[in-house]
Amino acid sequence: MKASKFSDAQKAFILKQGADGAPVAEICRRAGINPATYFNWKKKYDGMTPQEMRRMKQLEDENAKLRKLVADLSLDREMLQDVIRRKL
């Protein structure tokens, strides 16, 4: 996935402007983002501080690694059980 050119603090600032009542079209024009990007950020990060955003990204990365590890181990287990079944 492509890294964002916006820092967590910038994203939080942009979302705060929207929460303060500024028109979304104006916020997006000034920030140089698509309104769809704004709404995706809002869905994902609304109400978070930059530290919470970083922590959430770390947890998502860790979760992805753990899911991959579980998938690999499950595949290994299936292969070993298949070998055992063939020997019996």
Side-chain angles (χ1 to χ4, degrees):
M1 183 161 56
K2 182 179 172 188
S4 175
K5 68 178 184 177
F6 293 94
S7 70
D8 293 332
Q10 289 171 321
K11 290 176 186 177
F13 178 72
I14 291 169
L15 292 174
K16 185 173 181 334
Q17 289 176 337
D20 290 343
V24 172
E26 179 64 21
I27 295 168
C28 293
R29 186 186 62 75
R30 281 187 293 193
I33 61 173
N34 192 311
T37 301
Y38 172 84
F39 288 112
N40 285 336
W41 287 352
K42 184 175 179 179
K43 182 172 56 171
K44 191 169 185 178
Y45 303 121
D46 195 29
M48 289 186 178
T49 64
Q51 294 82 12
E52 291 170 332
M53 288 177 176
R54 268 187 297 256
R55 181 67 180 143
M56 189 173 91
K57 286 181 190 174
Q58 289 172 347
L59 290 173
E60 287 174 343
D61 291 343
E62 182 181 352
N63 191 26
K65 288 177 187 174
L66 291 173
R67 285 179 184 263
K68 186 177 184 301
L69 181 65
V70 168
D72 290 344
L73 290 173
S74 295
L75 183 61
D76 289 347
R77 181 177 174 264
E78 285 296 319
M79 290 179 0
L80 290 172
Q81 284 183 339
D82 191 39
V83 168
I84 290 171
R85 278 187 230 120
R86 288 183 190 168
K87 287 187 177 181
L88 297 178

Coordinates of all heavy atoms in Angstrom, one line a residue:
M1 N 0.8 -1.2 0.0 CA 0.0 0.0 0.0 C 0.9 1.2 0.0 O 1.9 1.3 0.6 CB -0.9 0.0 1.2 CG -1.9 1.1 1.2 SD -3.3 1.0 2.3 CE -2.7 0.7 3.9
K2 N 0.5 2.3 -0.7 CA 1.2 3.5 -0.8 C 1.2 4.3 0.5 O 0.1 4.4 1.1 CB 0.7 4.3 -2.0 CG 1.4 5.6 -2.3 CD 0.8 6.3 -3.4 CE 1.4 7.7 -3.6 NZ 0.7 8.5 -4.6
A3 N 2.3 4.8 0.9 CA 2.4 5.6 2.1 C 1.7 7.0 1.8 O 1.9 7.6 0.7 CB 3.8 5.8 2.5
S4 N 1.0 7.5 2.8 CA 0.4 8.8 2.7 C 1.4 9.9 2.7 O 2.4 9.8 3.5 CB -0.7 8.9 3.8 OG -1.2 10.2 3.8
K5 N 1.1 11.0 2.0 CA 2.0 12.1 2.1 C 1.6 13.0 3.2 O 2.2 14.0 3.5 CB 2.0 12.9 0.7 CG 0.7 13.6 0.4 CD 0.9 14.3 -0.9 CE -0.4 15.1 -1.2 NZ -0.3 15.9 -2.4
F6 N 0.5 12.7 3.9 CA 0.1 13.4 5.1 C 0.4 12.7 6.4 O 0.3 11.5 6.5 CB -1.5 13.6 5.0 CG -1.9 14.5 3.9 CD1 -2.3 13.9 2.7 CD2 -1.9 15.9 4.0 CE1 -2.7 14.7 1.6 CE2 -2.4 16.6 2.9 CZ -2.7 16.1 1.7
S7 N 0.9 13.5 7.3 CA 1.2 12.9 8.6 C 0.0 12.7 9.4 O -1.1 13.3 9.0 CB 2.2 13.9 9.4 OG 1.5 15.0 9.8
D8 N 0.1 12.0 10.5 CA -1.1 11.8 11.3 C -1.6 13.1 11.9 O -2.8 13.3 12.0 CB -0.8 10.8 12.5 CG -0.5 9.4 12.0 OD1 -1.0 9.1 10.9 OD2 0.3 8.7 12.6
A9 N -0.7 14.0 12.2 CA -1.1 15.3 12.8 C -1.9 16.1 11.7 O -2.9 16.8 12.0 CB 0.1 16.1 13.2
Q10 N -1.4 16.0 10.5 CA -2.1 16.8 9.4 C -3.5 16.2 9.2 O -4.5 16.9 9.0 CB -1.3 16.7 8.1 CG 0.0 17.5 8.1 CD 0.9 17.2 6.9 OE1 1.0 16.1 6.5 NE2 1.5 18.3 6.4
K11 N -3.6 14.9 9.2 CA -4.9 14.2 9.0 C -5.9 14.7 10.2 O -7.0 15.0 9.9 CB -4.8 12.7 9.0 CG -4.1 12.2 7.8 CD -4.0 10.7 7.9 CE -3.2 10.1 6.8 NZ -2.9 8.6 6.9
A12 N -5.3 14.7 11.4 CA -6.2 15.1 12.5 C -6.6 16.5 12.4 O -7.8 16.8 12.7 CB -5.4 14.9 13.9
F13 N -5.7 17.4 11.9 CA -6.1 18.8 11.7 C -7.2 19.0 10.7 O -8.1 19.7 10.9 CB -4.8 19.6 11.4 CG -5.1 21.0 11.1 CD1 -5.4 21.9 12.1 CD2 -5.1 21.6 9.8 CE1 -5.7 23.2 11.9 CE2 -5.3 22.9 9.6 CZ -5.6 23.7 10.6
I14 N -7.0 18.2 9.6 CA -8.0 18.3 8.5 C -9.4 17.8 9.0 O -10.4 18.4 8.8 CB -7.6 17.5 7.3 CG1 -6.3 18.2 6.6 CG2 -8.7 17.3 6.3 CD1 -5.6 17.3 5.6
L15 N -9.4 16.7 9.8 CA -10.6 16.2 10.3 C -11.2 17.1 11.3 O -12.5 17.3 11.4 CB -10.4 14.8 10.9 CG -10.1 13.7 9.9 CD1 -9.7 12.4 10.6 CD2 -11.3 13.5 8.9
K16 N -10.4 17.8 12.1 CA -10.9 18.7 13.1 C -11.6 19.9 12.5 O -12.6 20.4 13.0 CB -9.8 19.2 14.0 CG -10.2 20.1 15.2 CD -9.1 20.4 16.1 CE -9.6 21.2 17.3 NZ -10.7 22.1 17.1
Q17 N -11.0 20.4 11.3 CA -11.7 21.5 10.6 C -13.1 21.1 10.2 O -14.0 21.9 10.3 CB -10.9 21.8 9.4 CG -9.6 22.5 9.7 CD -8.8 22.8 8.4 OE1 -8.9 22.1 7.4 NE2 -7.9 23.7 8.4
G18 N -13.3 19.8 9.7 CA -14.6 19.4 9.4 C -15.5 19.3 10.6 O -16.7 19.6 10.5
A19 N -15.0 18.8 11.7 CA -15.8 18.7 12.9 C -16.2 20.1 13.4 O -17.2 20.3 14.1 CB -15.0 18.0 14.0
D20 N -15.4 21.1 13.1 CA -15.7 22.5 13.6 C -16.7 23.2 12.7 O -17.1 24.3 12.9 CB -14.4 23.3 13.6 CG -13.5 22.9 14.7 OD1 -13.9 22.2 15.7 OD2 -12.3 23.3 14.7
G21 N -17.1 22.5 11.6 CA -18.2 23.0 10.8 C -17.7 23.6 9.4 O -18.6 24.2 8.7
A22 N -16.5 23.5 9.1 CA -16.0 24.0 7.8 C -16.6 23.1 6.7 O -16.7 21.9 6.8 CB -14.5 24.1 7.7
P23 N -16.9 23.7 5.5 CA -17.5 22.9 4.4 C -16.4 21.9 3.9 O -15.2 22.2 3.7 CB -17.8 23.9 3.3 CG -17.8 25.3 4.0 CD -16.9 25.1 5.2
V24 N -16.8 20.7 3.7 CA -15.9 19.6 3.3 C -15.2 20.0 1.9 O -14.0 19.7 1.8 CB -16.7 18.3 3.2 CG1 -15.8 17.2 2.6 CG2 -17.2 17.8 4.5
A25 N -16.0 20.6 1.0 CA -15.4 20.9 -0.3 C -14.2 21.9 -0.1 O -13.2 21.8 -0.8 CB -16.4 21.5 -1.2
E26 N -14.4 22.9 0.8 CA -13.3 23.9 1.0 C -12.1 23.2 1.7 O -11.0 23.5 1.4 CB -13.9 25.0 1.9 CG -12.9 26.1 2.2 CD -12.4 26.8 1.0 OE1 -13.1 26.8 0.0 OE2 -11.3 27.4 1.1
I27 N -12.4 22.4 2.7 CA -11.3 21.7 3.4 C -10.5 20.9 2.4 O -9.2 20.9 2.4 CB -11.8 20.7 4.5 CG1 -12.5 21.6 5.6 CG2 -10.7 19.9 5.1 CD1 -13.3 20.7 6.5
C28 N -11.2 20.1 1.5 CA -10.5 19.3 0.6 C -9.7 20.1 -0.5 O -8.6 19.7 -0.8 CB -11.5 18.4 -0.2 SG -12.3 17.2 0.9
R29 N -10.3 21.2 -0.9 CA -9.6 22.1 -1.9 C -8.3 22.6 -1.3 O -7.2 22.6 -1.9 CB -10.5 23.2 -2.3 CG -9.9 24.1 -3.4 CD -10.7 25.3 -3.7 NE -10.8 26.2 -2.6 CZ -9.9 27.0 -2.1 NH1 -8.7 27.0 -2.8 NH2 -10.0 27.8 -1.1
R30 N -8.3 23.1 0.0 CA -7.2 23.7 0.6 C -6.1 22.6 0.9 O -4.9 22.8 0.8 CB -7.5 24.3 1.9 CG -8.1 25.7 1.7 CD -8.3 26.4 3.1 NE -9.3 25.6 3.8 CZ -9.9 26.0 4.9 NH1 -9.6 27.2 5.4 NH2 -10.8 25.3 5.5
A31 N -6.5 21.4 1.3 CA -5.6 20.3 1.6 C -5.1 19.6 0.3 O -4.1 18.9 0.4 CB -6.2 19.3 2.5
G32 N -5.8 19.8 -0.8 CA -5.4 19.1 -2.0 C -5.7 17.6 -2.0 O -5.0 16.8 -2.5
I33 N -6.9 17.3 -1.4 CA -7.3 15.9 -1.3 C -8.7 15.7 -2.0 O -9.4 16.7 -2.1 CB -7.3 15.3 0.1 CG1 -8.3 16.1 1.0 CG2 -6.0 15.3 0.7 CD1 -8.5 15.5 2.4
N34 N -9.0 14.5 -2.3 CA -10.3 14.2 -2.9 C -11.3 14.1 -1.7 O -11.0 13.6 -0.6 CB -10.2 12.9 -3.6 CG -11.4 12.6 -4.4 OD1 -12.5 12.7 -4.0 ND2 -11.1 12.2 -5.7
P35 N -12.6 14.5 -1.9 CA -13.6 14.4 -0.8 C -13.7 12.9 -0.4 O -13.9 12.7 0.8 CB -14.9 14.9 -1.4 CG -14.4 15.9 -2.5 CD -13.1 15.3 -3.0
A36 N -13.5 12.0 -1.3 CA -13.6 10.5 -0.9 C -12.5 10.2 0.1 O -12.7 9.5 1.1 CB -13.4 9.7 -2.1
T37 N -11.3 10.8 -0.1 CA -10.2 10.6 0.9 C -10.6 11.2 2.3 O -10.4 10.5 3.3 CB -8.9 11.3 0.4 OG1 -8.6 10.7 -0.9 CG2 -7.8 11.1 1.4
Y38 N -11.2 12.3 2.3 CA -11.6 13.0 3.5 C -12.6 12.0 4.2 O -12.4 11.8 5.4 CB -12.3 14.3 3.2 CG -12.9 14.9 4.5 CD1 -12.1 15.6 5.4 CD2 -14.3 14.7 4.7 CE1 -12.7 16.2 6.5 CE2 -14.8 15.3 5.9 CZ -14.1 16.0 6.8 OH -14.7 16.5 7.9
F39 N -13.6 11.5 3.5 CA -14.6 10.7 4.2 C -14.0 9.3 4.6 O -14.4 8.8 5.6 CB -15.8 10.5 3.3 CG -16.6 11.8 3.2 CD1 -16.7 12.5 2.0 CD2 -17.3 12.3 4.3 CE1 -17.4 13.7 2.0 CE2 -18.0 13.5 4.3 CZ -18.1 14.2 3.1
N40 N -13.0 8.8 3.9 CA -12.4 7.6 4.3 C -11.6 7.8 5.6 O -11.6 7.0 6.5 CB -11.4 7.0 3.2 CG -12.1 6.4 2.1 OD1 -13.2 5.9 2.2 ND2 -11.5 6.4 0.9
W41 N -10.9 8.9 5.7 CA -10.1 9.3 6.9 C -11.1 9.5 8.0 O -10.9 9.1 9.1 CB -9.4 10.6 6.7 CG -8.1 10.5 5.9 CD1 -7.6 9.3 5.4 CD2 -7.3 11.5 5.4 NE1 -6.4 9.6 4.6 CE2 -6.3 11.0 4.6 CE3 -7.4 12.9 5.5 CZ2 -5.3 11.8 4.0 CZ3 -6.4 13.7 4.9 CH2 -5.4 13.1 4.2
K42 N -12.2 10.1 7.7 CA -13.2 10.4 8.8 C -13.8 9.1 9.3 O -13.9 8.9 10.5 CB -14.4 11.3 8.3 CG -15.4 11.7 9.3 CD -16.4 12.6 8.8 CE -17.4 12.9 9.9 NZ -18.4 13.8 9.5
K43 N -14.1 8.2 8.4 CA -14.6 6.8 8.9 C -13.6 6.1 9.7 O -13.9 5.5 10.7 CB -15.0 6.0 7.6 CG -15.6 4.7 8.0 CD -16.1 4.0 6.7 CE -15.1 3.8 5.7 NZ -15.5 2.9 4.6
K44 N -12.3 6.2 9.4 CA -11.3 5.5 10.1 C -10.7 6.2 11.3 O -10.5 5.5 12.3 CB -10.1 5.2 9.1 CG -9.1 4.2 9.6 CD -8.2 3.8 8.4 CE -7.2 2.7 8.9 NZ -6.4 2.3 7.8
Y45 N -10.5 7.5 11.2 CA -9.8 8.2 12.3 C -10.6 9.2 13.1 O -10.1 9.9 13.9 CB -8.6 8.9 11.7 CG -7.6 8.1 10.9 CD1 -7.4 8.3 9.6 CD2 -7.0 7.0 11.6 CE1 -6.5 7.6 8.9 CE2 -6.1 6.2 10.9 CZ -5.8 6.5 9.5 OH -4.9 5.8 8.9
D46 N -11.9 9.4 12.8 CA -12.7 10.4 13.4 C -12.6 10.4 15.0 O -12.8 9.4 15.6 CB -14.1 10.4 13.0 CG -14.9 11.6 13.3 OD1 -14.3 12.7 13.3 OD2 -16.1 11.5 13.5
G47 N -12.2 11.5 15.5 CA -12.1 11.6 17.0 C -10.8 11.2 17.6 O -10.7 11.2 18.8
M48 N -9.8 10.7 16.8 CA -8.6 10.2 17.3 C -7.5 11.3 17.3 O -7.5 12.2 16.5 CB -8.1 9.1 16.4 CG -8.8 7.8 16.5 SD -7.9 6.6 15.5 CE -8.9 5.2 15.8
T49 N -6.6 11.2 18.2 CA -5.4 12.1 18.3 C -4.4 11.4 17.4 O -4.4 10.2 17.0 CB -4.9 12.2 19.7 OG1 -4.4 10.9 20.1 CG2 -5.9 12.7 20.7
P50 N -3.3 12.2 17.0 CA -2.3 11.6 16.2 C -1.6 10.4 16.8 O -1.3 9.5 16.1 CB -1.3 12.8 16.0 CG -2.1 14.0 16.1 CD -3.2 13.7 17.1
Q51 N -1.4 10.4 18.2 CA -0.8 9.3 18.8 C -1.7 8.1 18.7 O -1.2 6.9 18.5 CB -0.6 9.6 20.3 CG 0.4 10.7 20.6 CD -0.1 12.1 20.5 OE1 -1.4 12.3 20.4 NE2 0.7 13.1 20.4
E52 N -3.0 8.3 18.8 CA -3.9 7.1 18.7 C -3.9 6.6 17.3 O -4.1 5.4 17.1 CB -5.4 7.6 19.1 CG -5.5 7.8 20.6 CD -6.9 8.5 20.9 OE1 -7.4 9.2 20.0 OE2 -7.3 8.3 22.0
M53 N -3.8 7.5 16.3 CA -3.7 7.0 14.9 C -2.5 6.2 14.7 O -2.6 5.1 14.1 CB -3.6 8.2 14.0 CG -4.9 9.0 13.8 SD -4.6 10.4 12.8 CE -6.2 11.1 12.6
R54 N -1.3 6.6 15.2 CA -0.1 5.8 15.1 C -0.2 4.5 15.8 O 0.2 3.4 15.2 CB 1.1 6.6 15.7 CG 1.8 7.4 14.7 CD 3.1 8.0 15.3 NE 2.7 8.9 16.3 CZ 2.6 10.2 16.4 NH1 3.0 10.9 15.7 NH2 2.2 10.9 17.3
R55 N -0.8 4.4 17.0 CA -1.0 3.2 17.7 C -1.9 2.2 16.9 O -1.7 1.0 16.9 CB -1.6 3.5 19.1 CG -1.8 2.3 19.9 CD -0.5 1.6 20.3 NE -0.8 0.4 21.1 CZ -0.1 -0.7 21.0 NH1 0.9 -0.8 20.3 NH2 -0.4 -1.7 21.8
M56 N -3.0 2.8 16.3 CA -3.9 2.0 15.6 C -3.2 1.4 14.3 O -3.4 0.2 14.0 CB -5.1 2.8 15.1 CG -6.2 1.9 14.5 SD -7.7 2.7 14.1 CE -7.3 3.2 12.4
K57 N -2.3 2.1 13.7 CA -1.6 1.6 12.5 C -0.6 0.5 13.0 O -0.5 -0.5 12.3 CB -0.8 2.7 11.9 CG -1.6 3.7 11.0 CD -0.7 4.7 10.4 CE -1.5 5.8 9.8 NZ -0.7 6.9 9.3
Q58 N 0.0 0.7 14.1 CA 0.9 -0.3 14.7 C 0.1 -1.6 15.0 O 0.6 -2.7 14.6 CB 1.6 0.1 15.9 CG 2.6 1.2 15.7 CD 3.1 1.8 17.0 OE1 2.6 1.6 18.1 NE2 4.2 2.5 17.0
L59 N -1.0 -1.5 15.6 CA -1.8 -2.7 15.9 C -2.3 -3.3 14.6 O -2.4 -4.6 14.6 CB -3.0 -2.3 16.8 CG -2.7 -1.8 18.2 CD1 -3.9 -1.3 18.9 CD2 -2.1 -3.0 19.0
E60 N -2.7 -2.6 13.6 CA -3.1 -3.2 12.3 C -2.0 -3.9 11.7 O -2.2 -5.0 11.1 CB -3.6 -2.1 11.4 CG -5.0 -1.5 11.8 CD -5.4 -0.4 10.9 OE1 -4.6 0.2 10.2 OE2 -6.6 0.0 10.9
D61 N -0.8 -3.4 11.7 CA 0.4 -4.0 11.1 C 0.7 -5.3 11.9 O 1.0 -6.4 11.3 CB 1.6 -3.1 11.2 CG 1.5 -2.0 10.2 OD1 0.7 -2.0 9.3 OD2 2.3 -1.0 10.4
E62 N 0.6 -5.3 13.2 CA 0.9 -6.5 14.0 C -0.2 -7.5 13.8 O 0.1 -8.7 13.7 CB 0.9 -6.1 15.5 CG 1.2 -7.2 16.4 CD 1.2 -6.8 17.9 OE1 1.1 -5.7 18.2 OE2 1.3 -7.8 18.7
N63 N -1.4 -7.1 13.6 CA -2.5 -8.0 13.4 C -2.3 -8.7 12.0 O -2.5 -9.9 11.9 CB -3.8 -7.3 13.4 CG -5.0 -8.2 13.4 OD1 -4.9 -9.4 13.8 ND2 -6.2 -7.7 12.9
A64 N -1.9 -7.9 11.0 CA -1.6 -8.5 9.7 C -0.5 -9.6 9.8 O -0.6 -10.7 9.2 CB -1.3 -7.4 8.7
K65 N 0.6 -9.3 10.5 CA 1.6 -10.3 10.7 C 1.2 -11.5 11.4 O 1.5 -12.6 11.0 CB 2.8 -9.6 11.5 CG 3.6 -8.6 10.7 CD 4.6 -8.0 11.6 CE 5.3 -6.8 10.9 NZ 6.3 -6.1 11.8
L66 N 0.4 -11.3 12.4 CA -0.1 -12.5 13.1 C -1.1 -13.3 12.3 O -1.0 -14.6 12.3 CB -0.8 -12.1 14.4 CG 0.1 -11.5 15.5 CD1 -0.8 -10.9 16.7 CD2 1.0 -12.5 16.0
R67 N -1.9 -12.7 11.5 CA -2.8 -13.4 10.6 C -2.0 -14.2 9.6 O -2.4 -15.4 9.3 CB -3.8 -12.5 9.9 CG -4.9 -11.9 10.7 CD -5.7 -11.0 9.9 NE -6.7 -10.3 10.7 CZ -8.0 -10.8 10.8 NH1 -8.4 -11.8 10.1 NH2 -8.9 -10.2 11.6
K68 N -1.0 -13.6 9.1 CA -0.1 -14.4 8.1 C 0.6 -15.5 8.8 O 0.6 -16.6 8.2 CB 1.0 -13.4 7.5 CG 1.8 -14.0 6.4 CD 2.8 -13.0 5.9 CE 3.6 -13.5 4.7 NZ 4.4 -14.7 5.0
L69 N 1.0 -15.4 10.0 CA 1.7 -16.4 10.8 C 0.7 -17.6 11.0 O 1.0 -18.8 10.8 CB 2.2 -15.9 12.1 CG 2.9 -16.9 13.0 CD1 4.2 -17.4 12.3 CD2 3.2 -16.2 14.3
V70 N -0.5 -17.3 11.4 CA -1.6 -18.3 11.6 C -1.9 -19.0 10.3 O -2.0 -20.2 10.3 CB -2.8 -17.7 12.2 CG1 -4.0 -18.6 12.2 CG2 -2.6 -17.2 13.7
A71 N -2.0 -18.3 9.2 CA -2.2 -18.9 7.9 C -1.1 -19.9 7.6 O -1.4 -21.0 7.1 CB -2.5 -17.9 6.9
D72 N 0.1 -19.5 7.8 CA 1.3 -20.3 7.4 C 1.3 -21.6 8.3 O 1.5 -22.7 7.8 CB 2.6 -19.6 7.6 CG 2.8 -18.5 6.6 OD1 2.1 -18.5 5.5 OD2 3.6 -17.6 6.8
L73 N 1.0 -21.4 9.6 CA 1.0 -22.5 10.5 C -0.1 -23.5 10.2 O 0.0 -24.7 10.3 CB 1.0 -22.1 12.0 CG 2.2 -21.4 12.5 CD1 2.0 -20.8 13.9 CD2 3.4 -22.3 12.5
S74 N -1.3 -23.0 9.8 CA -2.4 -23.8 9.5 C -2.1 -24.6 8.2 O -2.4 -25.8 8.2 CB -3.6 -23.0 9.2 OG -4.0 -22.3 10.4
L75 N -1.4 -24.0 7.3 CA -1.0 -24.7 6.1 C 0.0 -25.8 6.4 O -0.1 -26.9 5.9 CB -0.4 -23.7 5.0 CG 0.0 -24.3 3.7 CD1 -1.3 -24.9 3.0 CD2 0.6 -23.2 2.8
D76 N 1.0 -25.5 7.2 CA 2.0 -26.5 7.6 C 1.3 -27.7 8.3 O 1.6 -28.8 8.1 CB 3.0 -25.9 8.6 CG 3.9 -24.9 7.9 OD1 4.0 -24.9 6.6 OD2 4.6 -24.2 8.6
R77 N 0.3 -27.4 9.2 CA -0.4 -28.4 9.9 C -1.2 -29.3 9.0 O -1.1 -30.5 9.1 CB -1.4 -27.8 10.9 CG -2.1 -28.7 11.7 CD -3.0 -28.0 12.8 NE -3.9 -28.9 13.5 CZ -5.1 -29.2 13.1 NH1 -5.7 -28.5 12.1 NH2 -5.9 -30.0 13.8
E78 N -1.8 -28.7 8.0 CA -2.6 -29.5 7.0 C -1.6 -30.4 6.2 O -2.0 -31.6 6.0 CB -3.3 -28.6 6.1 CG -4.6 -28.0 6.7 CD -5.6 -29.0 7.1 OE1 -5.8 -30.0 6.3 OE2 -6.2 -28.9 8.2
M79 N -0.5 -29.9 5.8 CA 0.5 -30.7 5.1 C 1.0 -31.8 5.9 O 1.1 -33.0 5.4 CB 1.6 -29.8 4.6 CG 1.2 -28.8 3.5 SD 2.5 -27.7 2.9 CE 4.0 -28.0 3.7
L80 N 1.3 -31.6 7.2 CA 1.8 -32.7 8.0 C 0.7 -33.7 8.3 O 1.0 -34.9 8.3 CB 2.3 -32.1 9.4 CG 3.6 -31.3 9.3 CD1 3.8 -30.6 10.6 CD2 4.7 -32.2 8.8
Q81 N -0.5 -33.3 8.5 CA -1.6 -34.3 8.6 C -1.8 -35.1 7.4 O -2.1 -36.3 7.5 CB -2.9 -33.6 9.0 CG -2.9 -33.1 10.5 CD -4.2 -32.5 10.9 OE1 -5.0 -32.0 10.0 NE2 -4.5 -32.4 12.2
D82 N -1.7 -34.5 6.2 CA -1.8 -35.2 5.0 C -0.7 -36.3 4.9 O -1.0 -37.4 4.4 CB -1.7 -34.2 3.8 CG -2.1 -34.9 2.5 OD1 -3.0 -35.7 2.5 OD2 -1.4 -34.6 1.5
V83 N 0.5 -36.0 5.3 CA 1.6 -36.9 5.2 C 1.3 -38.1 6.2 O 1.5 -39.2 5.8 CB 3.0 -36.2 5.6 CG1 4.0 -37.2 5.9 CG2 3.4 -35.3 4.5
I84 N 0.8 -37.8 7.4 CA 0.5 -38.8 8.4 C -0.6 -39.7 7.8 O -0.5 -41.0 7.9 CB 0.1 -38.2 9.7 CG1 1.3 -37.5 10.4 CG2 -0.6 -39.2 10.6 CD1 0.9 -36.7 11.6
R85 N -1.6 -39.2 7.2 CA -2.7 -40.0 6.6 C -2.2 -40.9 5.5 O -2.7 -42.0 5.4 CB -3.8 -39.1 6.1 CG -4.7 -38.6 7.1 CD -5.9 -37.8 6.5 NE -6.0 -36.5 7.2 CZ -5.9 -35.4 6.7 NH1 -5.7 -35.2 5.4 NH2 -6.0 -34.3 7.4
R86 N -1.3 -40.5 4.7 CA -0.7 -41.3 3.7 C 0.1 -42.5 4.2 O 0.1 -43.6 3.6 CB 0.2 -40.5 2.7 CG -0.6 -39.5 1.9 CD 0.3 -38.8 0.9 NE -0.4 -37.8 0.3 CZ 0.1 -36.8 -0.4 NH1 1.5 -36.8 -0.6 NH2 -0.6 -35.9 -1.0
K87 N 0.8 -42.3 5.3 CA 1.6 -43.3 5.9 C 0.8 -44.4 6.6 O 1.2 -45.5 6.7 CB 2.6 -42.7 6.9 CG 3.7 -42.0 6.2 CD 4.8 -41.5 7.2 CE 5.9 -40.8 6.5 NZ 6.9 -40.4 7.4
L88 N -0.4 -44.0 7.0 CA -1.3 -45.0 7.7 C -2.1 -45.7 6.7 O -2.2 -46.6 6.2 CB -2.2 -44.3 8.7 CG -1.5 -43.6 9.9 CD1 -2.6 -42.9 10.7 CD2 -0.7 -44.6 10.7

